[in-house]
Amino acid sequence: MKLSKRMIRTSLPLMLLASAIVPLERNAEAASPANIKIMLDGAPVVTDTDPYVIPKANLTMVPIRVVSESLQAVVDWKQNTKTVTISQSGKAITMVSGQKSAVVNGTKVTLDAPTEVKNGRVMVPLRFVSENLGVQVDWNSKTKVITLTTFTAGGGQSGGEVGGTDIRGAWISTLYNLDWPSAASYSDIAKQQEEFTKLLDDLQAIGMNSVFVQVRSAGDAIYPSELVPWSKVLTGIQGQDPGYDPLDFMIEETHNRGMEFHAWFNPFRANTATTTTGLASNHVALQHPDWIVKAGTASYIDPGIPDARQHIVDAIMEVVNDYEIDGVHLDDYFYPSGTDFNDAVSYLLYNPNKLLTKAEWRRDNINQFVKLLDESIHQAKPRVSFGISPFGVWRNASVDPTGSDTKAGITAYDSMSADVRTWIRQGWLDYVAPQVYWSMTLSAARYDKVTDWWANEVAGTNVKLYIGHAAYKVGTAETGWQSAQEIIDQLQYNKKYSAIEGDLYFRANELLKNPLGLADLLRDYYGN
């Protein structure tokens, strides 16, 4: 994903460029050289000399060959003066062995550790060099893996246009064990891991380069959390430890294939039922019953309660801070549509702006949540993208002249209190991925008309547009879905708009079932 204006790489060179790759631990021992692994855009970097850590400076040193071959920079080493000059895309870095300073395009910059010559190899500080060349550097202290992610000339991360290619992603649903893990794998670590790696391999084989994995489906988690219980999809029992960290495993396997991993959260759904039967003692419905609203057949966390919104942000930030994810992704579970939602008490208690209607107040609640989450993510990790996948129709033109030429029975703005237009115009999102789950021939909401509207909506903004496609409808009786060519026709239509930078498919197993040959068509389409 190309990063938005928030991305700062070299504007604060003294802070960024000389910072350590290993967290500061005053008494920490240097990591064993053989234990440090380097990954560049998902591929392992082979070195002829092992990287090592300078403990006092907390810097990782790598042979200059990593820079010249892996980062494709021009390196000039002068033995007589022990001076190395590294050049790439108009940037020149000069360092002298033994000196704790460097010159970057004529400006002198202090280093925490100098260039060294070890065993006949020139060793340079990795973070300093990489970030000066526009490369994101991340360190995983648990696995001792250094991840390098290159950036495009326009300043965006090449990983979100993965390898310079637009996002091609599949949603992986964990709810009800739909895509992963299978119910047959309860508490079976090896089987769950085997299922996920096969899922990745099969998706990559048909052209996918990203996965959007549901890590929070109903106030729970598929990772160890201090705030919410383990999801029951892992063991059959909510709150039961599966014996490993599935999220850590999935991220590593995804990145090992050069694919992106986006953590998908259902923000406000608390439970798929209105009872608390089977919930762990630390589930939000038991910890904060006053936050819960029962609507239809499900339970929701009331978005109108500020502390409840903060709780959800805190839960999401656990993942942002603790894992090397590529993005945070939300679906359209804000306020439920088509059912009563009894939030009269919170409307009276938490309406500081004195909004006249409950509809305005609800939209403002979600706006505050989106804004807070955006700020929290990008303050912690500017490179992590944040996007939302709203219902495909914002508003019908019959209700709002600026809406789309549709006759949808449900709309994001009126039915779910999702004011996506404001999110886009305020720049609270890096991308928006509307669920345009209709065919080119459905009169009530034609794919082309809905897509036109979204392309126009993001025009002139820094928000990218991904389109959500309904793989699950191929082969159904709904108008237009009697041929898998429908999806291909939609992809061809998307080429009209440079703003469309990604295709997402709901959902993984529906794709891999190859309905009416869809997987084969996509393999050919992306292969060409």
Side-chain angles (χ1 to χ4, degrees), residues 212-294:
F212 292 71
V213 181
Q214 192 175 35
V215 301
R216 171 194 171 97
S217 59
D220 52 12
I222 60 167
Y223 52 90
S225 169
E226 296 181 0
L227 298 174
V228 298
W230 282 105
S231 172
K232 69 178 181 181
V233 304
L234 298 164
T235 63
I237 301 172
Q238 189 178 87
Q240 182 170 303
D241 190 333
Y244 76 116
D245 185 340
L247 183 54
D248 190 56
F249 171 81
M250 290 189 294
I251 292 170
E252 182 175 4
E253 289 297 319
T254 302
H255 287 166
N256 284 346
R257 288 161 174 77
M259 302 173 74
E260 286 196 359
F261 187 98
H262 296 254
W264 162 23
F265 298 83
N266 291 95
F268 292 97
R269 182 168 58 200
N271 193 13
T272 55
T274 56
T275 68
T276 58
T277 304
L279 297 183
S281 60
N282 61 333
H283 189 274
V284 64
L286 296 175
Q287 292 284 314
H288 299 281
D290 52 315
W291 291 359
I292 304 302
V293 176
K294 299 174 182 179

Coordinates of all heavy atoms in Angstrom, one line a residue, residues 212-294:
F212 N -6.6 -10.6 4.1 CA -7.3 -9.8 5.1 C -7.9 -10.8 6.1 O -9.0 -11.3 5.8 CB -8.3 -8.9 4.5 CG -7.7 -7.8 3.6 CD1 -7.1 -8.1 2.4 CD2 -7.7 -6.5 4.0 CE1 -6.5 -7.2 1.6 CE2 -7.1 -5.5 3.2 CZ -6.5 -5.9 2.0
V213 N -7.2 -11.1 7.2 CA -7.6 -12.1 8.1 C -8.4 -11.6 9.3 O -7.9 -10.7 10.0 CB -6.4 -12.9 8.6 CG1 -6.8 -14.0 9.5 CG2 -5.6 -13.5 7.4
Q214 N -9.5 -12.2 9.5 CA -10.4 -11.8 10.6 C -9.8 -12.2 12.0 O -9.8 -13.4 12.3 CB -11.8 -12.4 10.5 CG -12.9 -11.9 11.3 CD -14.2 -12.5 11.0 OE1 -14.3 -13.7 10.6 NE2 -15.3 -11.8 11.1
V215 N -9.2 -11.2 12.7 CA -8.6 -11.5 14.0 C -9.4 -11.2 15.2 O -9.2 -11.6 16.3 CB -7.2 -10.7 14.1 CG1 -6.3 -11.1 12.9 CG2 -7.5 -9.2 14.1
R216 N -10.5 -10.5 14.9 CA -11.5 -10.2 16.0 C -12.9 -10.3 15.3 O -13.2 -9.4 14.5 CB -11.3 -8.8 16.5 CG -12.4 -8.3 17.5 CD -12.3 -6.8 17.7 NE -13.4 -6.3 18.5 CZ -13.5 -6.0 19.8 NH1 -12.5 -6.3 20.5 NH2 -14.6 -5.5 20.3
S217 N -13.7 -11.3 15.7 CA -15.0 -11.4 15.0 C -16.1 -11.1 15.9 O -17.2 -10.7 15.5 CB -15.1 -12.9 14.5 OG -15.1 -13.8 15.6
A218 N -15.9 -11.2 17.2 CA -17.0 -11.0 18.2 C -16.5 -10.7 19.6 O -16.7 -11.5 20.5 CB -18.0 -12.2 18.2
G219 N -15.8 -9.6 19.7 CA -15.2 -9.2 21.0 C -14.2 -10.2 21.5 O -14.0 -10.3 22.7
D220 N -13.5 -10.9 20.6 CA -12.5 -11.9 21.0 C -11.3 -11.7 20.2 O -11.1 -10.7 19.5 CB -13.1 -13.3 20.7 CG -13.7 -13.5 19.3 OD1 -13.4 -12.6 18.5 OD2 -14.4 -14.4 19.1
A221 N -10.4 -12.7 20.2 CA -9.1 -12.6 19.5 C -8.5 -13.9 19.1 O -8.7 -14.9 19.9 CB -8.1 -11.8 20.4
I222 N -7.8 -13.9 18.0 CA -7.0 -15.1 17.7 C -5.5 -14.9 18.0 O -4.7 -15.4 17.3 CB -7.2 -15.5 16.2 CG1 -6.8 -14.4 15.2 CG2 -8.7 -15.9 15.9 CD1 -6.7 -14.9 13.8
Y223 N -5.3 -14.2 19.0 CA -3.9 -13.9 19.5 C -4.0 -13.7 21.0 O -5.1 -13.4 21.5 CB -3.4 -12.6 18.8 CG -4.3 -11.4 18.9 CD1 -4.2 -10.5 20.0 CD2 -5.3 -11.2 18.0 CE1 -5.1 -9.5 20.1 CE2 -6.2 -10.1 18.1 CZ -6.1 -9.3 19.2 OH -7.0 -8.2 19.3
P224 N -2.9 -13.8 21.7 CA -3.0 -13.6 23.2 C -3.2 -12.1 23.5 O -2.5 -11.3 23.0 CB -1.6 -14.1 23.6 CG -0.7 -14.0 22.4 CD -1.6 -14.3 21.3
S225 N -4.3 -11.8 24.2 CA -4.6 -10.5 24.5 C -4.8 -10.3 26.0 O -5.3 -11.2 26.7 CB -5.9 -10.1 23.8 OG -6.5 -8.9 24.2
E226 N -4.5 -9.1 26.5 CA -4.8 -8.7 27.8 C -6.1 -8.1 28.0 O -6.6 -7.8 29.2 CB -3.7 -7.7 28.3 CG -2.3 -8.3 28.3 CD -1.3 -7.3 28.9 OE1 -1.7 -6.1 29.2 OE2 -0.1 -7.6 28.9
L227 N -6.9 -7.9 26.9 CA -8.1 -7.2 27.0 C -9.3 -8.0 26.6 O -10.4 -7.8 27.1 CB -8.1 -5.9 26.0 CG -7.0 -4.9 26.4 CD1 -7.0 -3.8 25.3 CD2 -7.3 -4.3 27.7
V228 N -9.2 -9.0 25.7 CA -10.3 -9.8 25.2 C -9.9 -11.3 25.3 O -8.7 -11.6 25.3 CB -10.7 -9.4 23.8 CG1 -11.2 -7.9 23.8 CG2 -9.5 -9.6 22.8
P229 N -10.9 -12.2 25.3 CA -10.6 -13.6 25.4 C -10.2 -14.2 24.1 O -10.4 -13.7 23.0 CB -11.9 -14.2 25.9 CG -13.0 -13.3 25.3 CD -12.3 -11.9 25.4
W230 N -9.5 -15.4 24.2 CA -9.3 -16.2 23.0 C -10.6 -16.5 22.3 O -11.6 -16.8 22.9 CB -8.6 -17.5 23.4 CG -7.1 -17.4 23.7 CD1 -6.6 -17.5 25.0 CD2 -6.0 -17.3 22.8 NE1 -5.2 -17.4 24.9 CE2 -4.8 -17.3 23.6 CE3 -6.0 -17.2 21.4 CZ2 -3.6 -17.2 23.0 CZ3 -4.7 -17.1 20.8 CH2 -3.5 -17.1 21.6
S231 N -10.5 -16.5 21.0 CA -11.7 -16.9 20.2 C -12.0 -18.4 20.3 O -11.0 -19.2 20.3 CB -11.5 -16.5 18.7 OG -12.5 -17.0 17.9
K232 N -13.2 -18.7 20.3 CA -13.6 -20.2 20.4 C -13.3 -20.9 19.0 O -13.3 -22.1 19.0 CB -15.0 -20.3 20.7 CG -16.0 -19.8 19.7 CD -17.5 -20.1 20.1 CE -18.5 -19.7 19.1 NZ -19.9 -19.9 19.6
V233 N -13.0 -20.2 18.0 CA -12.8 -20.8 16.7 C -11.5 -21.6 16.7 O -11.3 -22.5 15.9 CB -12.7 -19.8 15.5 CG1 -14.0 -19.0 15.5 CG2 -11.5 -19.0 15.6
L234 N -10.7 -21.4 17.7 CA -9.4 -22.1 17.8 C -9.5 -23.5 18.5 O -8.8 -24.4 18.2 CB -8.3 -21.2 18.4 CG -8.0 -19.9 17.7 CD1 -7.3 -19.0 18.6 CD2 -7.2 -20.2 16.5
T235 N -10.3 -23.5 19.5 CA -10.4 -24.7 20.3 C -11.8 -25.2 20.5 O -12.0 -26.3 21.1 CB -9.8 -24.4 21.7 OG1 -10.6 -23.4 22.4 CG2 -8.4 -24.0 21.6
G236 N -12.8 -24.4 20.1 CA -14.2 -24.8 20.4 C -14.7 -24.2 21.7 O -15.9 -24.2 22.0
I237 N -13.8 -23.6 22.5 CA -14.2 -23.0 23.8 C -13.6 -21.6 23.9 O -12.4 -21.4 23.8 CB -13.7 -23.8 25.0 CG1 -14.3 -25.3 24.9 CG2 -14.0 -23.2 26.3 CD1 -13.7 -26.2 25.9
Q238 N -14.4 -20.6 24.0 CA -13.9 -19.2 24.2 C -13.1 -19.1 25.4 O -13.4 -19.6 26.5 CB -15.0 -18.2 24.2 CG -14.5 -16.8 24.1 CD -15.6 -15.7 24.1 OE1 -16.1 -15.3 25.1 NE2 -16.1 -15.4 22.9
G239 N -11.9 -18.4 25.3 CA -11.0 -18.2 26.4 C -10.0 -19.3 26.6 O -9.1 -19.1 27.4
Q240 N -10.1 -20.3 25.9 CA -9.1 -21.4 26.0 C -7.9 -21.2 25.1 O -8.0 -20.9 23.9 CB -9.7 -22.8 25.6 CG -8.8 -24.0 25.8 CD -9.5 -25.3 25.7 OE1 -10.5 -25.5 26.4 NE2 -9.1 -26.1 24.7
D241 N -6.7 -21.2 25.8 CA -5.4 -21.0 25.1 C -5.2 -22.1 24.1 O -5.2 -23.3 24.4 CB -4.3 -21.0 26.1 CG -3.0 -20.5 25.5 OD1 -2.7 -20.7 24.3 OD2 -2.1 -20.0 26.3
P242 N -4.9 -21.8 22.8 CA -4.7 -22.9 21.8 C -3.3 -23.5 21.9 O -3.0 -24.4 21.1 CB -4.9 -22.1 20.5 CG -4.5 -20.7 20.8 CD -4.9 -20.5 22.2
G243 N -2.4 -22.9 22.7 CA -1.1 -23.5 22.8 C 0.0 -22.8 21.9 O 1.1 -23.2 22.0
Y244 N -0.4 -21.8 21.2 CA 0.6 -21.1 20.3 C -0.1 -19.8 20.0 O -1.2 -19.5 20.3 CB 0.9 -21.9 19.1 CG -0.1 -21.9 18.0 CD1 0.1 -21.4 16.7 CD2 -1.4 -22.5 18.2 CE1 -0.8 -21.4 15.7 CE2 -2.3 -22.6 17.2 CZ -2.0 -22.0 15.9 OH -2.9 -22.0 14.9
D245 N 0.7 -18.9 19.3 CA 0.2 -17.6 18.9 C -0.1 -17.7 17.4 O 0.8 -17.6 16.5 CB 1.3 -16.5 19.1 CG 0.8 -15.1 18.8 OD1 -0.2 -15.0 18.1 OD2 1.4 -14.2 19.3
P246 N -1.4 -17.9 17.0 CA -1.8 -18.1 15.6 C -1.4 -16.8 14.8 O -1.0 -17.0 13.6 CB -3.3 -18.3 15.7 CG -3.5 -18.8 17.1 CD -2.5 -18.1 17.9
L247 N -1.6 -15.6 15.4 CA -1.4 -14.4 14.6 C 0.1 -14.3 14.2 O 0.4 -13.9 13.1 CB -1.9 -13.2 15.4 CG -1.8 -11.9 14.7 CD1 -2.4 -11.9 13.3 CD2 -2.3 -10.7 15.5
D248 N 1.0 -14.5 15.2 CA 2.4 -14.5 14.9 C 2.8 -15.5 13.8 O 3.5 -15.1 12.9 CB 3.2 -14.8 16.2 CG 4.6 -14.5 16.0 OD1 5.0 -13.3 15.7 OD2 5.5 -15.4 16.2
F249 N 2.2 -16.7 13.9 CA 2.5 -17.7 12.8 C 2.0 -17.2 11.5 O 2.7 -17.3 10.5 CB 1.8 -19.0 13.2 CG 1.9 -20.0 12.1 CD1 3.0 -20.8 11.9 CD2 0.8 -20.2 11.3 CE1 3.1 -21.7 10.9 CE2 0.8 -21.2 10.3 CZ 2.0 -21.9 10.1
M250 N 0.8 -16.7 11.4 CA 0.2 -16.4 10.1 C 0.9 -15.2 9.5 O 1.1 -15.2 8.3 CB -1.3 -16.0 10.3 CG -2.2 -17.2 10.7 SD -4.0 -16.8 10.6 CE -4.1 -15.7 12.0
I251 N 1.3 -14.2 10.3 CA 2.0 -13.1 9.7 C 3.3 -13.5 9.1 O 3.7 -13.1 8.0 CB 2.2 -12.0 10.8 CG1 0.9 -11.4 11.2 CG2 3.2 -10.9 10.3 CD1 1.0 -10.5 12.4
E252 N 4.1 -14.4 9.9 CA 5.4 -14.8 9.4 C 5.2 -15.6 8.1 O 6.0 -15.4 7.1 CB 6.1 -15.7 10.4 CG 7.4 -16.2 10.0 CD 8.2 -16.9 11.1 OE1 7.6 -17.1 12.1 OE2 9.3 -17.3 10.8
E253 N 4.2 -16.5 8.0 CA 4.0 -17.3 6.8 C 3.6 -16.5 5.6 O 4.0 -16.7 4.5 CB 3.0 -18.4 7.1 CG 3.5 -19.5 8.0 CD 4.6 -20.3 7.4 OE1 4.6 -20.6 6.2 OE2 5.6 -20.6 8.2
T254 N 2.8 -15.5 5.9 CA 2.3 -14.6 4.8 C 3.5 -13.8 4.3 O 3.7 -13.7 3.1 CB 1.2 -13.6 5.4 OG1 0.2 -14.4 5.9 CG2 0.7 -12.7 4.3
H255 N 4.3 -13.2 5.2 CA 5.4 -12.4 4.7 C 6.5 -13.2 4.1 O 7.2 -12.8 3.1 CB 6.0 -11.6 5.9 CG 5.2 -10.5 6.3 ND1 5.3 -9.8 7.5 CD2 4.1 -9.9 5.7 CE1 4.4 -8.9 7.7 NE2 3.7 -8.9 6.6
N256 N 6.6 -14.5 4.5 CA 7.6 -15.4 3.9 C 7.3 -15.6 2.4 O 8.2 -16.0 1.6 CB 7.7 -16.7 4.6 CG 8.5 -16.6 5.9 OD1 9.2 -15.6 6.1 ND2 8.3 -17.6 6.7
R257 N 6.0 -15.4 2.0 CA 5.6 -15.6 0.6 C 5.6 -14.3 -0.1 O 5.1 -14.2 -1.3 CB 4.2 -16.3 0.6 CG 4.3 -17.8 1.0 CD 2.9 -18.3 1.4 NE 3.0 -19.7 1.7 CZ 3.5 -20.3 2.8 NH1 4.0 -19.5 3.7 NH2 3.5 -21.6 2.9
G258 N 6.0 -13.2 0.5 CA 6.0 -11.9 -0.2 C 4.6 -11.3 -0.3 O 4.4 -10.4 -1.1
M259 N 3.7 -11.8 0.6 CA 2.3 -11.3 0.6 C 2.1 -10.4 1.8 O 2.9 -10.4 2.7 CB 1.4 -12.5 0.7 CG 1.5 -13.5 -0.4 SD 0.5 -15.0 -0.2 CE -1.2 -14.3 -0.5
E260 N 1.1 -9.6 1.7 CA 0.7 -8.7 2.8 C -0.3 -9.3 3.7 O -1.2 -10.0 3.3 CB 0.2 -7.4 2.2 CG 1.2 -6.5 1.6 CD 0.7 -5.1 1.4 OE1 -0.5 -4.8 1.8 OE2 1.5 -4.2 0.9
F261 N -0.2 -8.9 5.0 CA -1.1 -9.4 6.0 C -1.8 -8.2 6.6 O -1.2 -7.3 7.2 CB -0.4 -10.2 7.1 CG -1.3 -10.8 8.1 CD1 -1.6 -12.2 8.0 CD2 -1.9 -10.1 9.1 CE1 -2.5 -12.8 8.9 CE2 -2.8 -10.7 10.0 CZ -3.1 -12.0 9.9
H262 N -3.1 -8.2 6.4 CA -4.0 -7.1 7.0 C -4.9 -7.7 8.1 O -5.5 -8.7 7.8 CB -4.8 -6.5 5.9 CG -4.0 -5.8 4.9 ND1 -4.0 -4.4 4.8 CD2 -3.3 -6.2 3.8 CE1 -3.2 -4.0 3.8 NE2 -2.7 -5.1 3.2
A263 N -4.8 -7.1 9.2 CA -5.6 -7.6 10.4 C -7.0 -7.1 10.3 O -7.2 -5.8 10.4 CB -4.9 -7.3 11.7
W264 N -8.0 -7.9 10.1 CA -9.4 -7.5 9.9 C -10.1 -7.6 11.3 O -10.2 -8.7 11.9 CB -10.0 -8.4 8.9 CG -11.5 -8.5 8.8 CD1 -12.4 -7.6 9.2 CD2 -12.2 -9.6 8.1 NE1 -13.7 -8.0 8.9 CE2 -13.6 -9.2 8.2 CE3 -11.9 -10.7 7.5 CZ2 -14.6 -10.0 7.7 CZ3 -12.9 -11.6 7.0 CH2 -14.3 -11.2 7.1
F265 N -10.8 -6.5 11.7 CA -11.5 -6.5 12.9 C -13.0 -6.2 12.7 O -13.3 -5.3 11.9 CB -10.9 -5.3 13.8 CG -9.5 -5.5 14.2 CD1 -8.5 -5.1 13.4 CD2 -9.2 -6.0 15.5 CE1 -7.1 -5.2 13.7 CE2 -7.8 -6.1 15.8 CZ -6.8 -5.8 15.0
N266 N -13.8 -6.9 13.4 CA -15.2 -6.5 13.5 C -15.3 -5.6 14.8 O -15.2 -6.1 15.9 CB -16.2 -7.7 13.7 CG -16.2 -8.6 12.4 OD1 -15.5 -9.5 12.3 ND2 -17.1 -8.2 11.5
P267 N -15.4 -4.3 14.6 CA -15.3 -3.5 15.8 C -16.4 -3.6 16.9 O -16.0 -3.8 18.1 CB -15.2 -2.1 15.2 CG -15.9 -2.2 13.9 CD -15.6 -3.6 13.4
F268 N -17.6 -3.5 16.5 CA -18.7 -3.3 17.5 C -19.5 -4.6 17.8 O -20.3 -4.6 18.7 CB -19.6 -2.2 17.2 CG -18.9 -0.8 17.3 CD1 -18.3 -0.2 16.1 CD2 -18.7 -0.2 18.5 CE1 -17.7 1.0 16.2 CE2 -18.1 1.0 18.6 CZ -17.5 1.6 17.5
R269 N -19.3 -5.6 17.0 CA -20.1 -6.9 17.3 C -19.5 -7.5 18.5 O -18.3 -7.9 18.6 CB -20.1 -7.8 16.1 CG -20.9 -9.1 16.4 CD -21.1 -9.9 15.1 NE -19.9 -10.3 14.5 CZ -19.7 -10.7 13.3 NH1 -20.8 -10.7 12.5 NH2 -18.5 -11.1 12.8
A270 N -20.4 -7.7 19.5 CA -19.9 -8.3 20.8 C -20.1 -9.8 20.8 O -19.3 -10.6 21.3 CB -20.6 -7.7 22.0
N271 N -21.2 -10.3 20.2 CA -21.5 -11.7 20.2 C -22.5 -12.0 19.1 O -23.3 -11.1 18.7 CB -22.1 -12.1 21.5 CG -22.1 -13.7 21.7 OD1 -21.5 -14.4 20.9 ND2 -22.8 -14.1 22.7
T272 N -22.4 -13.2 18.6 CA -23.4 -13.6 17.5 C -24.7 -14.0 18.1 O -25.6 -14.4 17.3 CB -22.8 -14.7 16.6 OG1 -22.4 -15.8 17.5 CG2 -21.6 -14.2 15.9
A273 N -24.8 -14.0 19.4 CA -26.1 -14.3 20.1 C -26.4 -13.2 21.1 O -25.6 -12.3 21.3 CB -26.0 -15.7 20.8
T274 N -27.7 -13.2 21.6 CA -28.1 -12.2 22.6 C -27.9 -12.7 24.0 O -28.2 -12.0 24.9 CB -29.5 -11.8 22.3 OG1 -30.4 -13.0 22.4 CG2 -29.7 -11.2 21.0
T275 N -27.4 -13.9 24.2 CA -27.2 -14.4 25.5 C -25.7 -14.4 25.8 O -24.9 -14.1 24.9 CB -27.7 -15.9 25.7 OG1 -26.8 -16.7 24.8 CG2 -29.1 -16.0 25.2
T276 N -25.3 -14.7 27.0 CA -23.9 -14.7 27.4 C -23.4 -16.2 27.6 O -22.3 -16.4 28.1 CB -23.6 -13.9 28.7 OG1 -24.5 -14.5 29.7 CG2 -24.0 -12.5 28.5
T277 N -24.2 -17.1 27.2 CA -23.8 -18.5 27.4 C -22.6 -18.8 26.6 O -22.5 -18.5 25.4 CB -25.0 -19.4 26.9 OG1 -26.2 -19.1 27.6 CG2 -24.6 -20.9 27.0
G278 N -21.6 -19.4 27.2 CA -20.4 -19.8 26.5 C -19.3 -18.8 26.5 O -18.2 -19.0 25.9
L279 N -19.6 -17.6 27.0 CA -18.6 -16.5 26.9 C -17.6 -16.6 28.1 O -18.0 -17.0 29.2 CB -19.3 -15.1 27.0 CG -20.3 -14.8 25.9 CD1 -20.8 -13.4 26.1 CD2 -19.6 -14.9 24.5
A280 N -16.4 -16.3 27.8 CA -15.3 -16.3 28.8 C -15.6 -15.2 29.8 O -16.2 -14.2 29.5 CB -14.0 -16.2 28.2
S281 N -15.0 -15.4 31.0 CA -15.3 -14.4 32.1 C -14.8 -13.0 31.8 O -15.3 -12.0 32.3 CB -14.7 -14.9 33.4 OG -13.3 -15.0 33.3
N282 N -13.8 -12.9 30.9 CA -13.2 -11.6 30.6 C -13.8 -11.0 29.3 O -13.3 -10.1 28.7 CB -11.7 -11.6 30.5 CG -11.2 -12.6 29.4 OD1 -11.9 -13.6 29.0 ND2 -10.0 -12.3 28.9
H283 N -14.9 -11.6 28.8 CA -15.5 -11.0 27.6 C -16.2 -9.7 28.0 O -16.8 -9.6 29.1 CB -16.5 -12.1 27.0 CG -17.1 -11.7 25.7 ND1 -18.2 -10.8 25.6 CD2 -16.7 -12.0 24.4 CE1 -18.4 -10.6 24.3 NE2 -17.5 -11.3 23.6
V284 N -16.3 -8.8 27.0 CA -16.8 -7.5 27.3 C -18.3 -7.5 27.7 O -18.7 -6.7 28.5 CB -16.7 -6.6 26.0 CG1 -17.5 -7.1 24.9 CG2 -17.0 -5.1 26.3
A285 N -19.0 -8.5 27.3 CA -20.5 -8.6 27.6 C -20.6 -8.9 29.1 O -21.7 -8.6 29.7 CB -21.2 -9.6 26.8
L286 N -19.6 -9.6 29.7 CA -19.7 -9.9 31.1 C -19.0 -8.8 31.9 O -19.4 -8.5 33.1 CB -19.1 -11.3 31.4 CG -19.8 -12.4 30.7 CD1 -19.1 -13.7 31.0 CD2 -21.3 -12.5 31.3
Q287 N -17.9 -8.3 31.4 CA -17.2 -7.2 32.1 C -17.9 -5.9 32.1 O -17.8 -5.2 33.1 CB -15.8 -7.1 31.4 CG -14.9 -8.2 31.5 CD -14.2 -8.3 32.9 OE1 -13.8 -7.3 33.4 NE2 -14.2 -9.5 33.5
H288 N -18.6 -5.6 31.0 CA -19.3 -4.3 30.9 C -20.7 -4.5 30.3 O -21.0 -4.1 29.2 CB -18.5 -3.4 30.0 CG -17.1 -3.0 30.5 ND1 -16.9 -2.1 31.5 CD2 -15.9 -3.5 30.2 CE1 -15.6 -2.0 31.8 NE2 -15.0 -2.9 31.0
P289 N -21.6 -5.2 31.0 CA -22.9 -5.4 30.5 C -23.7 -4.1 30.1 O -24.6 -4.1 29.3 CB -23.6 -6.2 31.6 CG -22.8 -5.9 32.9 CD -21.4 -5.7 32.4
D290 N -23.3 -3.0 30.8 CA -23.9 -1.7 30.5 C -23.5 -1.2 29.1 O -24.2 -0.2 28.6 CB -23.6 -0.7 31.6 CG -22.1 -0.6 31.8 OD1 -21.4 -1.6 31.9 OD2 -21.6 0.6 31.9
W291 N -22.5 -1.7 28.5 CA -22.1 -1.3 27.2 C -22.9 -2.1 26.1 O -22.7 -1.7 24.9 CB -20.6 -1.6 27.0 CG -19.7 -0.7 27.8 CD1 -20.0 0.3 28.7 CD2 -18.3 -0.8 27.8 NE1 -18.9 0.8 29.2 CE2 -17.8 0.2 28.7 CE3 -17.3 -1.6 27.1 CZ2 -16.4 0.3 28.9 CZ3 -16.0 -1.4 27.3 CH2 -15.5 -0.5 28.2
I292 N -23.6 -3.1 26.4 CA -24.1 -4.0 25.4 C -25.5 -3.7 25.1 O -26.4 -3.5 25.9 CB -24.0 -5.5 26.0 CG1 -22.6 -5.8 26.3 CG2 -24.5 -6.5 24.9 CD1 -21.6 -5.7 25.2
V293 N -25.8 -3.7 23.8 CA -27.2 -3.6 23.2 C -27.5 -4.8 22.4 O -26.7 -5.2 21.5 CB -27.3 -2.3 22.3 CG1 -28.7 -2.2 21.7 CG2 -27.0 -1.1 23.1
K294 N -28.6 -5.4 22.7 CA -29.1 -6.6 22.0 C -30.0 -6.1 20.9 O -30.9 -5.4 21.1 CB -29.8 -7.6 22.9 CG -29.0 -8.1 24.1 CD -29.8 -8.9 25.0 CE -28.9 -9.4 26.2 NZ -29.7 -10.2 27.2

